[in-house]
Amino acid sequence: MPLTPLDIHNKEFSRRLRGYDEDEVNEFLDQVIKDYESLIRENKEIQNQMLALQERLNHFSNIEETLSKTIIVAQEAADEVRNNAKKEAQLIIKEAEKNADRIVNDSLNKSRKVSLEVEELKKQASIYRARFRTLVEAQLDLLTQDGWDSLESASVARDPERELLRG
């Protein structure tokens, strides 16, 4: 157990003949008591400061731990957001590709339909031209036949007004 200033103050030394000067010893002991009390006070102050600093250190350690946890949570959240964004982007790309394929397929189908319709119209136009040519040729054949001359002479005899108009 450490000495206290009271222990030093109450210390009694045995007396001997030719011993130390009692007043000098007492003065020295008084000086030791003062210094010892001063050291004890200083030690208490240092301990109080140490406790305050330890509390601050604990406080800052808690803040550091909280910040570390917050940073980890923020990183995890950022990673999750990034992953979700990638997944969403992939879904959007897949959907866009599907839509593009559908649009291309629809366009190809419409193009085929239009091409078939054009071919059908060409065939119909060709058939129409052939029929019209046949009709025109038949009409020309009729006009070039000898029977028309006899009809013309017979109709002139029957229709004198027409003859006047012609002539």
Side-chain angles (χ1 to χ4, degrees), residues 33-68:
I33 289 170
K34 285 180 190 175
D35 290 347
Y36 195 68
E37 283 177 345
S38 172
L39 288 174
I40 288 174
R41 262 186 266 114
E42 190 177 319
N43 189 22
K44 284 208 184 258
E45 286 176 16
I46 289 173
Q47 284 180 351
N48 288 338
Q49 287 176 354
M50 186 185 73
L51 287 174
L53 290 174
Q54 186 64 43
E55 285 178 18
R56 287 185 68 192
L57 178 64
N58 289 341
H59 174 72
F60 288 124
S61 293
N62 287 338
I63 289 174
E64 179 186 17
E65 185 179 334
T66 302
L67 287 174
S68 294

PDB file of all heavy atoms in Angstrom, residues 33-68:
ATOM      1  N   ILE A  33       6.363  16.022   2.336  1.00  0.00           N
ATOM      2  CA  ILE A  33       4.895  15.962   2.414  1.00  0.00           C
ATOM      3  C   ILE A  33       4.292  16.880   1.362  1.00  0.00           C
ATOM      4  O   ILE A  33       3.373  16.489   0.624  1.00  0.00           O
ATOM      5  CB  ILE A  33       4.401  16.326   3.841  1.00  0.00           C
ATOM      6  CG1 ILE A  33       4.741  15.225   4.831  1.00  0.00           C
ATOM      7  CG2 ILE A  33       2.896  16.572   3.830  1.00  0.00           C
ATOM      8  CD1 ILE A  33       4.504  15.613   6.297  1.00  0.00           C
ATOM      9  N   LYS A  34       4.813  18.126   1.282  1.00  0.00           N
ATOM     10  CA  LYS A  34       4.278  19.080   0.293  1.00  0.00           C
ATOM     11  C   LYS A  34       4.460  18.537  -1.121  1.00  0.00           C
ATOM     12  O   LYS A  34       3.535  18.548  -1.943  1.00  0.00           O
ATOM     13  CB  LYS A  34       4.986  20.431   0.422  1.00  0.00           C
ATOM     14  CG  LYS A  34       4.565  21.242   1.597  1.00  0.00           C
ATOM     15  CD  LYS A  34       5.335  22.558   1.611  1.00  0.00           C
ATOM     16  CE  LYS A  34       5.100  23.290   2.921  1.00  0.00           C
ATOM     17  NZ  LYS A  34       5.910  24.482   3.020  1.00  0.00           N
ATOM     18  N   ASP A  35       5.663  18.063  -1.406  1.00  0.00           N
ATOM     19  CA  ASP A  35       5.936  17.539  -2.753  1.00  0.00           C
ATOM     20  C   ASP A  35       5.072  16.309  -3.049  1.00  0.00           C
ATOM     21  O   ASP A  35       4.547  16.151  -4.147  1.00  0.00           O
ATOM     22  CB  ASP A  35       7.420  17.177  -2.904  1.00  0.00           C
ATOM     23  CG  ASP A  35       8.314  18.408  -2.944  1.00  0.00           C
ATOM     24  OD1 ASP A  35       7.771  19.544  -3.097  1.00  0.00           O
ATOM     25  OD2 ASP A  35       9.540  18.242  -2.829  1.00  0.00           O
ATOM     26  N   TYR A  36       4.944  15.467  -2.029  1.00  0.00           N
ATOM     27  CA  TYR A  36       4.154  14.242  -2.207  1.00  0.00           C
ATOM     28  C   TYR A  36       2.681  14.593  -2.444  1.00  0.00           C
ATOM     29  O   TYR A  36       2.032  14.025  -3.324  1.00  0.00           O
ATOM     30  CB  TYR A  36       4.340  13.340  -0.981  1.00  0.00           C
ATOM     31  CG  TYR A  36       3.891  11.920  -1.192  1.00  0.00           C
ATOM     32  CD1 TYR A  36       4.576  11.077  -2.055  1.00  0.00           C
ATOM     33  CD2 TYR A  36       2.778  11.422  -0.522  1.00  0.00           C
ATOM     34  CE1 TYR A  36       4.166   9.774  -2.237  1.00  0.00           C
ATOM     35  CE2 TYR A  36       2.358  10.126  -0.709  1.00  0.00           C
ATOM     36  CZ  TYR A  36       3.057   9.294  -1.574  1.00  0.00           C
ATOM     37  OH  TYR A  36       2.652   8.003  -1.762  1.00  0.00           O
ATOM     38  N   GLU A  37       2.136  15.572  -1.669  1.00  0.00           N
ATOM     39  CA  GLU A  37       0.749  16.008  -1.876  1.00  0.00           C
ATOM     40  C   GLU A  37       0.586  16.602  -3.270  1.00  0.00           C
ATOM     41  O   GLU A  37      -0.410  16.365  -3.952  1.00  0.00           O
ATOM     42  CB  GLU A  37       0.355  17.037  -0.805  1.00  0.00           C
ATOM     43  CG  GLU A  37       0.060  16.440   0.538  1.00  0.00           C
ATOM     44  CD  GLU A  37      -0.249  17.510   1.600  1.00  0.00           C
ATOM     45  OE1 GLU A  37       0.042  18.712   1.364  1.00  0.00           O
ATOM     46  OE2 GLU A  37      -0.783  17.139   2.652  1.00  0.00           O
ATOM     47  N   SER A  38       1.577  17.379  -3.679  1.00  0.00           N
ATOM     48  CA  SER A  38       1.527  17.978  -5.016  1.00  0.00           C
ATOM     49  C   SER A  38       1.509  16.890  -6.088  1.00  0.00           C
ATOM     50  O   SER A  38       0.738  16.956  -7.063  1.00  0.00           O
ATOM     51  CB  SER A  38       2.736  18.907  -5.201  1.00  0.00           C
ATOM     52  OG  SER A  38       2.821  19.357  -6.523  1.00  0.00           O
ATOM     53  N   LEU A  39       2.336  15.877  -5.907  1.00  0.00           N
ATOM     54  CA  LEU A  39       2.372  14.767  -6.869  1.00  0.00           C
ATOM     55  C   LEU A  39       1.046  14.001  -6.887  1.00  0.00           C
ATOM     56  O   LEU A  39       0.565  13.595  -7.948  1.00  0.00           O
ATOM     57  CB  LEU A  39       3.533  13.824  -6.550  1.00  0.00           C
ATOM     58  CG  LEU A  39       4.932  14.340  -6.863  1.00  0.00           C
ATOM     59  CD1 LEU A  39       6.001  13.375  -6.369  1.00  0.00           C
ATOM     60  CD2 LEU A  39       5.087  14.578  -8.361  1.00  0.00           C
ATOM     61  N   ILE A  40       0.480  13.818  -5.722  1.00  0.00           N
ATOM     62  CA  ILE A  40      -0.808  13.104  -5.644  1.00  0.00           C
ATOM     63  C   ILE A  40      -1.885  13.907  -6.378  1.00  0.00           C
ATOM     64  O   ILE A  40      -2.669  13.365  -7.160  1.00  0.00           O
ATOM     65  CB  ILE A  40      -1.199  12.834  -4.172  1.00  0.00           C
ATOM     66  CG1 ILE A  40      -0.290  11.748  -3.588  1.00  0.00           C
ATOM     67  CG2 ILE A  40      -2.664  12.408  -4.071  1.00  0.00           C
ATOM     68  CD1 ILE A  40      -0.489  11.498  -2.093  1.00  0.00           C
ATOM     69  N   ARG A  41      -1.907  15.268  -6.106  1.00  0.00           N
ATOM     70  CA  ARG A  41      -2.888  16.117  -6.805  1.00  0.00           C
ATOM     71  C   ARG A  41      -2.670  16.049  -8.320  1.00  0.00           C
ATOM     72  O   ARG A  41      -3.609  15.899  -9.098  1.00  0.00           O
ATOM     73  CB  ARG A  41      -2.779  17.556  -6.319  1.00  0.00           C
ATOM     74  CG  ARG A  41      -3.807  17.896  -5.284  1.00  0.00           C
ATOM     75  CD  ARG A  41      -3.782  19.379  -4.907  1.00  0.00           C
ATOM     76  NE  ARG A  41      -2.917  19.530  -3.734  1.00  0.00           N
ATOM     77  CZ  ARG A  41      -1.768  20.176  -3.708  1.00  0.00           C
ATOM     78  NH1 ARG A  41      -1.330  20.813  -4.748  1.00  0.00           N
ATOM     79  NH2 ARG A  41      -1.043  20.219  -2.615  1.00  0.00           N
ATOM     80  N   GLU A  42      -1.427  16.180  -8.701  1.00  0.00           N
ATOM     81  CA  GLU A  42      -1.096  16.150 -10.136  1.00  0.00           C
ATOM     82  C   GLU A  42      -1.493  14.804 -10.742  1.00  0.00           C
ATOM     83  O   GLU A  42      -2.050  14.742 -11.845  1.00  0.00           O
ATOM     84  CB  GLU A  42       0.404  16.383 -10.295  1.00  0.00           C
ATOM     85  CG  GLU A  42       0.835  16.603 -11.733  1.00  0.00           C
ATOM     86  CD  GLU A  42       2.334  16.910 -11.789  1.00  0.00           C
ATOM     87  OE1 GLU A  42       2.843  17.663 -10.932  1.00  0.00           O
ATOM     88  OE2 GLU A  42       2.972  16.381 -12.704  1.00  0.00           O
ATOM     89  N   ASN A  43      -1.240  13.746 -10.001  1.00  0.00           N
ATOM     90  CA  ASN A  43      -1.603  12.403 -10.466  1.00  0.00           C
ATOM     91  C   ASN A  43      -3.118  12.289 -10.627  1.00  0.00           C
ATOM     92  O   ASN A  43      -3.602  11.740 -11.623  1.00  0.00           O
ATOM     93  CB  ASN A  43      -1.056  11.354  -9.489  1.00  0.00           C
ATOM     94  CG  ASN A  43      -1.212   9.943 -10.032  1.00  0.00           C
ATOM     95  OD1 ASN A  43      -1.344   9.746 -11.230  1.00  0.00           O
ATOM     96  ND2 ASN A  43      -1.171   8.972  -9.138  1.00  0.00           N
ATOM     97  N   LYS A  44      -3.872  12.846  -9.657  1.00  0.00           N
ATOM     98  CA  LYS A  44      -5.338  12.806  -9.757  1.00  0.00           C
ATOM     99  C   LYS A  44      -5.813  13.603 -10.969  1.00  0.00           C
ATOM    100  O   LYS A  44      -6.709  13.170 -11.694  1.00  0.00           O
ATOM    101  CB  LYS A  44      -5.983  13.329  -8.471  1.00  0.00           C
ATOM    102  CG  LYS A  44      -5.941  12.352  -7.348  1.00  0.00           C
ATOM    103  CD  LYS A  44      -7.123  12.595  -6.422  1.00  0.00           C
ATOM    104  CE  LYS A  44      -7.025  11.668  -5.248  1.00  0.00           C
ATOM    105  NZ  LYS A  44      -7.910  10.544  -5.349  1.00  0.00           N
ATOM    106  N   GLU A  45      -5.200  14.787 -11.163  1.00  0.00           N
ATOM    107  CA  GLU A  45      -5.571  15.593 -12.331  1.00  0.00           C
ATOM    108  C   GLU A  45      -5.268  14.842 -13.626  1.00  0.00           C
ATOM    109  O   GLU A  45      -6.074  14.822 -14.561  1.00  0.00           O
ATOM    110  CB  GLU A  45      -4.812  16.935 -12.316  1.00  0.00           C
ATOM    111  CG  GLU A  45      -5.321  17.914 -11.295  1.00  0.00           C
ATOM    112  CD  GLU A  45      -4.479  19.188 -11.253  1.00  0.00           C
ATOM    113  OE1 GLU A  45      -3.699  19.437 -12.200  1.00  0.00           O
ATOM    114  OE2 GLU A  45      -4.619  19.929 -10.275  1.00  0.00           O
ATOM    115  N   ILE A  46      -4.112  14.219 -13.661  1.00  0.00           N
ATOM    116  CA  ILE A  46      -3.737  13.451 -14.860  1.00  0.00           C
ATOM    117  C   ILE A  46      -4.703  12.286 -15.059  1.00  0.00           C
ATOM    118  O   ILE A  46      -5.126  12.000 -16.183  1.00  0.00           O
ATOM    119  CB  ILE A  46      -2.269  12.970 -14.759  1.00  0.00           C
ATOM    120  CG1 ILE A  46      -1.331  14.164 -14.904  1.00  0.00           C
ATOM    121  CG2 ILE A  46      -1.968  11.915 -15.817  1.00  0.00           C
ATOM    122  CD1 ILE A  46       0.140  13.847 -14.653  1.00  0.00           C
ATOM    123  N   GLN A  47      -5.085  11.628 -13.971  1.00  0.00           N
ATOM    124  CA  GLN A  47      -6.049  10.533 -14.081  1.00  0.00           C
ATOM    125  C   GLN A  47      -7.398  11.049 -14.589  1.00  0.00           C
ATOM    126  O   GLN A  47      -8.033  10.417 -15.434  1.00  0.00           O
ATOM    127  CB  GLN A  47      -6.221   9.827 -12.723  1.00  0.00           C
ATOM    128  CG  GLN A  47      -5.071   8.913 -12.383  1.00  0.00           C
ATOM    129  CD  GLN A  47      -5.271   8.220 -11.028  1.00  0.00           C
ATOM    130  OE1 GLN A  47      -6.189   8.545 -10.270  1.00  0.00           O
ATOM    131  NE2 GLN A  47      -4.382   7.273 -10.744  1.00  0.00           N
ATOM    132  N   ASN A  48      -7.831  12.217 -14.046  1.00  0.00           N
ATOM    133  CA  ASN A  48      -9.095  12.802 -14.519  1.00  0.00           C
ATOM    134  C   ASN A  48      -9.001  13.159 -16.006  1.00  0.00           C
ATOM    135  O   ASN A  48      -9.934  12.922 -16.777  1.00  0.00           O
ATOM    136  CB  ASN A  48      -9.469  14.033 -13.694  1.00  0.00           C
ATOM    137  CG  ASN A  48      -9.918  13.668 -12.292  1.00  0.00           C
ATOM    138  OD1 ASN A  48     -10.332  12.537 -12.040  1.00  0.00           O
ATOM    139  ND2 ASN A  48      -9.827  14.607 -11.372  1.00  0.00           N
ATOM    140  N   GLN A  49      -7.871  13.765 -16.378  1.00  0.00           N
ATOM    141  CA  GLN A  49      -7.674  14.088 -17.795  1.00  0.00           C
ATOM    142  C   GLN A  49      -7.662  12.812 -18.642  1.00  0.00           C
ATOM    143  O   GLN A  49      -8.236  12.760 -19.731  1.00  0.00           O
ATOM    144  CB  GLN A  49      -6.356  14.850 -18.000  1.00  0.00           C
ATOM    145  CG  GLN A  49      -6.385  16.266 -17.522  1.00  0.00           C
ATOM    146  CD  GLN A  49      -5.015  16.939 -17.675  1.00  0.00           C
ATOM    147  OE1 GLN A  49      -4.037  16.302 -18.039  1.00  0.00           O
ATOM    148  NE2 GLN A  49      -4.978  18.231 -17.370  1.00  0.00           N
ATOM    149  N   MET A  50      -6.999  11.784 -18.105  1.00  0.00           N
ATOM    150  CA  MET A  50      -6.942  10.516 -18.826  1.00  0.00           C
ATOM    151  C   MET A  50      -8.347   9.927 -18.985  1.00  0.00           C
ATOM    152  O   MET A  50      -8.706   9.429 -20.057  1.00  0.00           O
ATOM    153  CB  MET A  50      -6.034   9.519 -18.093  1.00  0.00           C
ATOM    154  CG  MET A  50      -5.821   8.228 -18.875  1.00  0.00           C
ATOM    155  SD  MET A  50      -4.884   7.006 -17.966  1.00  0.00           S
ATOM    156  CE  MET A  50      -6.088   6.474 -16.774  1.00  0.00           C
ATOM    157  N   LEU A  51      -9.158  10.007 -17.921  1.00  0.00           N
ATOM    158  CA  LEU A  51     -10.531   9.498 -18.013  1.00  0.00           C
ATOM    159  C   LEU A  51     -11.323  10.297 -19.053  1.00  0.00           C
ATOM    160  O   LEU A  51     -12.062   9.726 -19.860  1.00  0.00           O
ATOM    161  CB  LEU A  51     -11.219   9.557 -16.645  1.00  0.00           C
ATOM    162  CG  LEU A  51     -10.759   8.529 -15.624  1.00  0.00           C
ATOM    163  CD1 LEU A  51     -11.421   8.794 -14.258  1.00  0.00           C
ATOM    164  CD2 LEU A  51     -11.062   7.116 -16.097  1.00  0.00           C
ATOM    165  N   ALA A  52     -11.157  11.637 -19.023  1.00  0.00           N
ATOM    166  CA  ALA A  52     -11.871  12.470 -20.006  1.00  0.00           C
ATOM    167  C   ALA A  52     -11.405  12.130 -21.420  1.00  0.00           C
ATOM    168  O   ALA A  52     -12.220  11.999 -22.344  1.00  0.00           O
ATOM    169  CB  ALA A  52     -11.640  13.953 -19.704  1.00  0.00           C
ATOM    170  N   LEU A  53     -10.077  11.982 -21.570  1.00  0.00           N
ATOM    171  CA  LEU A  53      -9.553  11.623 -22.899  1.00  0.00           C
ATOM    172  C   LEU A  53     -10.000  10.230 -23.316  1.00  0.00           C
ATOM    173  O   LEU A  53     -10.292   9.986 -24.495  1.00  0.00           O
ATOM    174  CB  LEU A  53      -8.021  11.721 -22.911  1.00  0.00           C
ATOM    175  CG  LEU A  53      -7.453  13.134 -22.835  1.00  0.00           C
ATOM    176  CD1 LEU A  53      -5.934  13.093 -22.698  1.00  0.00           C
ATOM    177  CD2 LEU A  53      -7.865  13.944 -24.057  1.00  0.00           C
ATOM    178  N   GLN A  54     -10.072   9.331 -22.351  1.00  0.00           N
ATOM    179  CA  GLN A  54     -10.539   7.973 -22.654  1.00  0.00           C
ATOM    180  C   GLN A  54     -11.999   8.007 -23.094  1.00  0.00           C
ATOM    181  O   GLN A  54     -12.386   7.316 -24.043  1.00  0.00           O
ATOM    182  CB  GLN A  54     -10.361   7.063 -21.423  1.00  0.00           C
ATOM    183  CG  GLN A  54     -10.694   5.610 -21.683  1.00  0.00           C
ATOM    184  CD  GLN A  54      -9.754   4.980 -22.693  1.00  0.00           C
ATOM    185  OE1 GLN A  54      -8.555   5.199 -22.644  1.00  0.00           O
ATOM    186  NE2 GLN A  54     -10.298   4.209 -23.617  1.00  0.00           N
ATOM    187  N   GLU A  55     -12.809   8.837 -22.429  1.00  0.00           N
ATOM    188  CA  GLU A  55     -14.217   8.978 -22.831  1.00  0.00           C
ATOM    189  C   GLU A  55     -14.313   9.543 -24.243  1.00  0.00           C
ATOM    190  O   GLU A  55     -15.108   9.069 -25.062  1.00  0.00           O
ATOM    191  CB  GLU A  55     -14.964   9.883 -21.850  1.00  0.00           C
ATOM    192  CG  GLU A  55     -15.270   9.223 -20.530  1.00  0.00           C
ATOM    193  CD  GLU A  55     -15.979  10.164 -19.558  1.00  0.00           C
ATOM    194  OE1 GLU A  55     -16.532  11.205 -20.012  1.00  0.00           O
ATOM    195  OE2 GLU A  55     -15.977   9.868 -18.357  1.00  0.00           O
ATOM    196  N   ARG A  56     -13.469  10.573 -24.518  1.00  0.00           N
ATOM    197  CA  ARG A  56     -13.472  11.143 -25.874  1.00  0.00           C
ATOM    198  C   ARG A  56     -13.010  10.106 -26.892  1.00  0.00           C
ATOM    199  O   ARG A  56     -13.568   9.999 -27.982  1.00  0.00           O
ATOM    200  CB  ARG A  56     -12.561  12.382 -25.934  1.00  0.00           C
ATOM    201  CG  ARG A  56     -13.162  13.579 -25.228  1.00  0.00           C
ATOM    202  CD  ARG A  56     -12.338  14.813 -25.387  1.00  0.00           C
ATOM    203  NE  ARG A  56     -12.381  15.260 -26.783  1.00  0.00           N
ATOM    204  CZ  ARG A  56     -11.584  16.167 -27.289  1.00  0.00           C
ATOM    205  NH1 ARG A  56     -10.664  16.723 -26.535  1.00  0.00           N
ATOM    206  NH2 ARG A  56     -11.689  16.530 -28.548  1.00  0.00           N
ATOM    207  N   LEU A  57     -11.982   9.350 -26.510  1.00  0.00           N
ATOM    208  CA  LEU A  57     -11.485   8.302 -27.409  1.00  0.00           C
ATOM    209  C   LEU A  57     -12.575   7.273 -27.677  1.00  0.00           C
ATOM    210  O   LEU A  57     -12.780   6.862 -28.833  1.00  0.00           O
ATOM    211  CB  LEU A  57     -10.247   7.632 -26.804  1.00  0.00           C
ATOM    212  CG  LEU A  57      -9.645   6.480 -27.611  1.00  0.00           C
ATOM    213  CD1 LEU A  57      -9.126   6.998 -28.945  1.00  0.00           C
ATOM    214  CD2 LEU A  57      -8.534   5.810 -26.829  1.00  0.00           C
ATOM    215  N   ASN A  58     -13.284   6.873 -26.611  1.00  0.00           N
ATOM    216  CA  ASN A  58     -14.389   5.929 -26.787  1.00  0.00           C
ATOM    217  C   ASN A  58     -15.465   6.531 -27.685  1.00  0.00           C
ATOM    218  O   ASN A  58     -16.010   5.845 -28.564  1.00  0.00           O
ATOM    219  CB  ASN A  58     -14.981   5.533 -25.431  1.00  0.00           C
ATOM    220  CG  ASN A  58     -14.054   4.651 -24.629  1.00  0.00           C
ATOM    221  OD1 ASN A  58     -13.136   4.043 -25.169  1.00  0.00           O
ATOM    222  ND2 ASN A  58     -14.262   4.600 -23.327  1.00  0.00           N
ATOM    223  N   HIS A  59     -15.760   7.814 -27.454  1.00  0.00           N
ATOM    224  CA  HIS A  59     -16.764   8.503 -28.270  1.00  0.00           C
ATOM    225  C   HIS A  59     -16.346   8.490 -29.746  1.00  0.00           C
ATOM    226  O   HIS A  59     -17.123   8.148 -30.635  1.00  0.00           O
ATOM    227  CB  HIS A  59     -16.957   9.935 -27.757  1.00  0.00           C
ATOM    228  CG  HIS A  59     -17.860  10.772 -28.592  1.00  0.00           C
ATOM    229  ND1 HIS A  59     -19.229  10.581 -28.631  1.00  0.00           N
ATOM    230  CD2 HIS A  59     -17.595  11.802 -29.438  1.00  0.00           C
ATOM    231  CE1 HIS A  59     -19.759  11.451 -29.469  1.00  0.00           C
ATOM    232  NE2 HIS A  59     -18.783  12.212 -29.969  1.00  0.00           N
ATOM    233  N   PHE A  60     -15.080   8.872 -29.985  1.00  0.00           N
ATOM    234  CA  PHE A  60     -14.599   8.899 -31.362  1.00  0.00           C
ATOM    235  C   PHE A  60     -14.490   7.493 -31.953  1.00  0.00           C
ATOM    236  O   PHE A  60     -14.713   7.295 -33.153  1.00  0.00           O
ATOM    237  CB  PHE A  60     -13.266   9.641 -31.464  1.00  0.00           C
ATOM    238  CG  PHE A  60     -13.397  11.121 -31.288  1.00  0.00           C
ATOM    239  CD1 PHE A  60     -12.668  11.792 -30.322  1.00  0.00           C
ATOM    240  CD2 PHE A  60     -14.270  11.855 -32.082  1.00  0.00           C
ATOM    241  CE1 PHE A  60     -12.787  13.159 -30.163  1.00  0.00           C
ATOM    242  CE2 PHE A  60     -14.409  13.232 -31.918  1.00  0.00           C
ATOM    243  CZ  PHE A  60     -13.662  13.884 -30.956  1.00  0.00           C
ATOM    244  N   SER A  61     -14.161   6.529 -31.128  1.00  0.00           N
ATOM    245  CA  SER A  61     -14.131   5.137 -31.605  1.00  0.00           C
ATOM    246  C   SER A  61     -15.524   4.694 -32.021  1.00  0.00           C
ATOM    247  O   SER A  61     -15.689   4.027 -33.052  1.00  0.00           O
ATOM    248  CB  SER A  61     -13.594   4.208 -30.510  1.00  0.00           C
ATOM    249  OG  SER A  61     -12.242   4.470 -30.260  1.00  0.00           O
ATOM    250  N   ASN A  62     -16.532   5.085 -31.220  1.00  0.00           N
ATOM    251  CA  ASN A  62     -17.922   4.758 -31.574  1.00  0.00           C
ATOM    252  C   ASN A  62     -18.316   5.448 -32.883  1.00  0.00           C
ATOM    253  O   ASN A  62     -18.970   4.846 -33.735  1.00  0.00           O
ATOM    254  CB  ASN A  62     -18.879   5.168 -30.458  1.00  0.00           C
ATOM    255  CG  ASN A  62     -18.774   4.261 -29.254  1.00  0.00           C
ATOM    256  OD1 ASN A  62     -18.318   3.133 -29.350  1.00  0.00           O
ATOM    257  ND2 ASN A  62     -19.173   4.762 -28.102  1.00  0.00           N
ATOM    258  N   ILE A  63     -17.917   6.712 -33.017  1.00  0.00           N
ATOM    259  CA  ILE A  63     -18.219   7.445 -34.254  1.00  0.00           C
ATOM    260  C   ILE A  63     -17.537   6.758 -35.432  1.00  0.00           C
ATOM    261  O   ILE A  63     -18.140   6.560 -36.496  1.00  0.00           O
ATOM    262  CB  ILE A  63     -17.777   8.920 -34.142  1.00  0.00           C
ATOM    263  CG1 ILE A  63     -18.701   9.666 -33.181  1.00  0.00           C
ATOM    264  CG2 ILE A  63     -17.773   9.593 -35.511  1.00  0.00           C
ATOM    265  CD1 ILE A  63     -18.273  11.093 -32.883  1.00  0.00           C
ATOM    266  N   GLU A  64     -16.267   6.373 -35.239  1.00  0.00           N
ATOM    267  CA  GLU A  64     -15.529   5.695 -36.313  1.00  0.00           C
ATOM    268  C   GLU A  64     -16.214   4.388 -36.689  1.00  0.00           C
ATOM    269  O   GLU A  64     -16.381   4.084 -37.872  1.00  0.00           O
ATOM    270  CB  GLU A  64     -14.090   5.423 -35.860  1.00  0.00           C
ATOM    271  CG  GLU A  64     -13.260   4.701 -36.904  1.00  0.00           C
ATOM    272  CD  GLU A  64     -11.883   4.316 -36.402  1.00  0.00           C
ATOM    273  OE1 GLU A  64     -11.661   4.315 -35.177  1.00  0.00           O
ATOM    274  OE2 GLU A  64     -11.041   4.012 -37.252  1.00  0.00           O
ATOM    275  N   GLU A  65     -16.628   3.627 -35.695  1.00  0.00           N
ATOM    276  CA  GLU A  65     -17.305   2.361 -35.952  1.00  0.00           C
ATOM    277  C   GLU A  65     -18.626   2.598 -36.688  1.00  0.00           C
ATOM    278  O   GLU A  65     -18.940   1.907 -37.650  1.00  0.00           O
ATOM    279  CB  GLU A  65     -17.545   1.629 -34.627  1.00  0.00           C
ATOM    280  CG  GLU A  65     -18.139   0.252 -34.793  1.00  0.00           C
ATOM    281  CD  GLU A  65     -18.334  -0.441 -33.449  1.00  0.00           C
ATOM    282  OE1 GLU A  65     -17.597  -0.118 -32.487  1.00  0.00           O
ATOM    283  OE2 GLU A  65     -19.227  -1.297 -33.366  1.00  0.00           O
ATOM    284  N   THR A  66     -19.362   3.617 -36.227  1.00  0.00           N
ATOM    285  CA  THR A  66     -20.635   3.951 -36.875  1.00  0.00           C
ATOM    286  C   THR A  66     -20.397   4.377 -38.316  1.00  0.00           C
ATOM    287  O   THR A  66     -21.120   3.951 -39.228  1.00  0.00           O
ATOM    288  CB  THR A  66     -21.349   5.074 -36.099  1.00  0.00           C
ATOM    289  OG1 THR A  66     -21.568   4.654 -34.762  1.00  0.00           O
ATOM    290  CG2 THR A  66     -22.682   5.421 -36.740  1.00  0.00           C
ATOM    291  N   LEU A  67     -19.370   5.210 -38.525  1.00  0.00           N
ATOM    292  CA  LEU A  67     -19.053   5.654 -39.891  1.00  0.00           C
ATOM    293  C   LEU A  67     -18.638   4.474 -40.762  1.00  0.00           C
ATOM    294  O   LEU A  67     -19.029   4.387 -41.936  1.00  0.00           O
ATOM    295  CB  LEU A  67     -17.951   6.716 -39.872  1.00  0.00           C
ATOM    296  CG  LEU A  67     -18.364   8.096 -39.371  1.00  0.00           C
ATOM    297  CD1 LEU A  67     -17.151   9.013 -39.270  1.00  0.00           C
ATOM    298  CD2 LEU A  67     -19.417   8.709 -40.270  1.00  0.00           C
ATOM    299  N   SER A  68     -17.851   3.577 -40.196  1.00  0.00           N
ATOM    300  CA  SER A  68     -17.432   2.394 -40.956  1.00  0.00           C
ATOM    301  C   SER A  68     -18.643   1.568 -41.360  1.00  0.00           C
ATOM    302  O   SER A  68     -18.767   1.142 -42.513  1.00  0.00           O
ATOM    303  CB  SER A  68     -16.473   1.535 -40.137  1.00  0.00           C
ATOM    304  OG  SER A  68     -15.273   2.206 -39.900  1.00  0.00           O
TER     305      SER A  68
END
